[in-house]
């Protein structure tokens, strides 16, 4: 993974913190705190046990107070765990929603509760704001599958063919591309270019999925998501045999034989919308496991089967890491200005197209 643009441990002039980290860890879960935090616990009580809440509640209170002191917002991806997603996230959603909202926020500080490429995208759209990622090692197997030099080599191999880059890439890669896409707008972006052939990189399975939806010839790269590539049709078949009424909803980063079994395929937002709209009796969300918990928190009537594939990068973001991030203003994500100009163009072109 390339994290070369992030300044580790950057010293910043910031107001004295109200809560030293050690006092939070030891904070008492008093009856008064329990009462104060009750409305937030109500949001997650179906998926967070009372014992877990005793540990989470003081941190959530401290984070929400620090956010006000810093004039900060937390952008929480759908794969965050429920106590983060529902209790400290201000803007929540899929990659496209987070990118769009990042460009609208009036906060001074953005904390990305997600992975590094998402923080870079937020920085591209907010060059004058401070963008923090709570853990610099929160990468992505798709982003690390390709470099800017690879894209330049592809352009030489396919002269004149436009390059569409999935947002799950570094700023260096975005800078070499014509336009970005996410899983929710990839078909629209590809067709907007008016070209008979398009390079859609780096996710091979997303490219194959888009190929089933368009007549434009898609040229792919062999990058894969380490979470979605682990799902197999055999595994899904066994769940379906156990209960034939179970609905299967898949993310387009899954292998084609998995997508072939799905009742619906879409971005994380589209998957959530499908469940909220159709309210199936029982469903498998074939994607990162925490998302099922986030939807289950709001849909107690739906039963979720959970083949629990966790994204090790997303799971680096914890309440403790977010707290430390806001307290110490770490770790600031920056992008080389020369790279940022070109990468921003590719992201903004996508955002403008889908607005
Ligand atoms: P979405 O754009 O659907 O949120 O996907 C992002 C991601 O990282 C999926 O693994
Ligand atoms: Fe990357 Fe896959 Fe993790 Fe999404 S789930 S951040 S695509 S490794």
């Amino acid at each position: 993974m390339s994290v070369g643009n992030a300044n580790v441990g950057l010293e910043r002039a910031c107001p004295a913190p109200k809560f030293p980290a050690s006092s939070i860890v030891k904070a008492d879960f008093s009856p008064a705190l329990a009462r104060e935090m009750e409305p937030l616990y109500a949001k997650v009580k179906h998926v967070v046990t009372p014992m877990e809440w005793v540990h989470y509640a003081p941190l959530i209170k401290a984070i929400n107070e620090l956010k006000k002191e810093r004039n900060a917002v937390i952008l929480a991806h759908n794969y965050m765990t429920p106590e983060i997603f529902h209790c400290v996230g201000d803007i929540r959603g899929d990659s496209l929603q987070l990118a769009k909202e990042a460009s609208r926020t009036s906060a001074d500080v953005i904390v990305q509760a997600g992975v590094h490429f998402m923080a870079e995208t937020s920085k591209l759209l907010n060059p004058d704001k401070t963008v923090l990622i709570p853990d610099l090692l929160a990468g992505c197997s798709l982003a690390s599958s390709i470099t800017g030099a690879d894209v330049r080599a592809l352009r030489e191999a396919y002269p004149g063919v436009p390059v569409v880059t999935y947002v799950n890439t570094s700023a260096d890669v975005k800078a070499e591309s014509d336009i970005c896409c996410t899983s929710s707008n990839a078909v629209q972006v590809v067709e907007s270019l008016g070209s008979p052939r398009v390079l859609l990189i780096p996710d091979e399975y997303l490219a194959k999925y888009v190929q089933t939806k368009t007549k434009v010839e898609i040229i792919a790269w062999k990058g894969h998501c380490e979470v979605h590539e682990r799902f197999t049709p055999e595994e899904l078949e066994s769940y379906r045999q156990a209960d034939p009424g179970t609905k299967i909803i898949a993310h387009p980063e899954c292998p084609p034989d998995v997508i072939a079994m799905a009742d619906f395929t879409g971005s994380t937002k589209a998957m959530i919308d499908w469940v909220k709209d159709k309210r199936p009796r029982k469903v498998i969300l074939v994607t990162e496991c925490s998302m099922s918990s986030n939807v289950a928190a709001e849909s107690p009537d739906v039963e979720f089967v959970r083949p629990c594939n966790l994204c090790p990068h997303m799971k680096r973001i914890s309440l403790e890491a977010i707290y430390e991030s806001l307290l110490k203003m770490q770790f600031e994500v920056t992008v080389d200005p020369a790279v940022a100009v070109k990468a921003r163009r590719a992201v903004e072109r996508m955002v403008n197209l889908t607005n």
Side-chain angles (χ1 to χ4, degrees):
M1 181 197 55
S2 166
V3 290
N5 289 327
N7 293 337
V8 184
L10 189 87
E11 292 294 324
R12 295 185 63 81
C14 46
K18 223 167 155 186
F19 301 92
S22 53
S23 74
I24 290 308
V25 177
K26 290 182 202 141
D28 283 337
F29 185 72
S30 62
L33 181 66
R35 271 194 305 279
E36 184 185 340
M37 301 299 280
E38 182 51 38
L40 280 180
Y41 188 50
K43 290 186 182 185
V44 291
K45 66 177 183 210
H46 294 299
V47 288
V48 170
T49 65
M51 216 131 84
E52 289 169 322
W53 188 246
V54 167
H55 170 66
Y56 294 153
L59 275 164
I60 290 168
K61 177 177 157 68
I63 289 169
N64 286 335
E65 293 193 8
L66 263 179
K67 276 194 308 196
K68 283 190 201 132
E69 286 181 34
R70 302 274 195 242
N71 189 24
V73 285
I74 295 182
L75 304 192
H77 186 261
N78 289 325
Y79 292 166
M80 288 295 105
T81 45
E83 70 283 3
I84 295 175
F85 188 80
H86 288 290
C87 301
V88 300
D90 299 293
I91 295 165
R92 300 174 284 162
D94 68 1
S95 302
L96 182 63
Q97 288 173 295
L98 296 186
K100 283 185 170 175
E101 293 300 331
S103 66
R104 291 182 195 134
T105 180
S106 61
D108 297 320
V109 178
I110 294 173
V111 179
Q112 197 81 39
V115 292
H116 192 267
F117 76 80
M118 296 176 175
E120 269 192 341
T121 306
S122 296
K123 184 65 186 176
L124 292 174
L125 297 171
N126 292 279
D128 300 327
K129 294 188 195 304
T130 301
V131 176
L132 305 175
I133 182 129
D135 189 321
L136 279 172
L137 293 179
C140 169
S141 65
L142 280 169
S144 57
S145 75
I146 191 160
T147 64
D150 291 327
V151 185
R152 287 193 291 278
L154 281 171
R155 281 206 188 269
E156 278 182 25
Y158 297 95
V161 178
V163 177
V164 178
T165 301
Y166 196 29
V167 283
N168 297 40
T169 47
S170 66
D172 286 344
V173 167
K174 289 183 176 79
E176 299 295 336
S177 56
D178 294 290
I179 185 167
C180 288
C181 75
T182 70
S183 56
S184 63
N185 61 20
V187 177
Q188 186 190 0
V189 169
V190 162
E191 296 194 333
S192 75
L193 298 172
S195 171
R197 292 175 98 195
V198 164
L199 279 147
L200 176 53
I201 55 177
D203 186 355
E204 183 188 13
Y205 296 149
L206 175 71
K208 286 192 166 160
Y209 173 70
V210 170
Q211 188 63 88
T212 66
K213 303 277 168 203
T214 182
K215 291 193 165 52
V216 176
E217 184 193 342
I218 305 290
I219 305 163
W221 180 258
K222 271 210 170 306
H224 297 143
C225 163
E226 66 187 271
V227 177
H228 292 91
E229 71 177 352
R230 292 212 303 270
F231 292 106
T232 64
E234 292 76 23
E235 178 188 15
L236 298 181
E237 188 53 46
S238 68
Y239 289 122
R240 212 170 229 168
Q241 272 179 12
D243 184 344
T246 306
K247 296 293 180 196
I248 297 176
I249 312 300
H251 193 276
E253 289 171 11
C254 292
D257 51 4
V258 167
I259 289 180
M261 294 189 65
D263 297 288
F264 176 77
T265 301
S267 74
T268 53
K269 175 190 185 308
M271 294 169 86
I272 295 170
D273 289 349
W274 192 94
V275 173
K276 287 185 176 167
D277 181 37
K278 304 276 190 249
R279 308 216 77 84
R281 175 180 57 80
K282 196 168 181 178
V283 68
I284 310 177
L285 300 185
V286 191
T287 193
E288 214 270 358
C289 184
S290 295
M291 198 170 97
S292 295
S293 307
N294 289 332
V295 193
E298 296 173 332
S299 316
D301 53 320
V302 178
E303 186 184 341
F304 292 81
V305 182
R306 297 184 206 193
C308 209
N309 289 358
L310 291 168
C311 172
H313 310 288
M314 292 278 182
K315 297 295 92 103
R316 285 185 170 275
I317 310 301
S318 60
L319 283 177
E320 284 86 350
I322 293 172
Y323 176 72
E324 291 278 317
S325 177
L326 273 167
L327 187 72
K328 299 177 183 164
M329 296 293 278
Q330 66 185 16
F331 297 96
E332 183 167 7
V333 175
T334 59
V335 182
D336 179 299
V339 173
V341 169
K342 294 199 279 174
R344 186 178 306 120
R345 213 165 35 216
V347 176
E348 282 179 347
R349 196 171 165 194
M350 167 191 79
V351 171
N352 293 339
L353 180 77
T354 52
N355 264 345

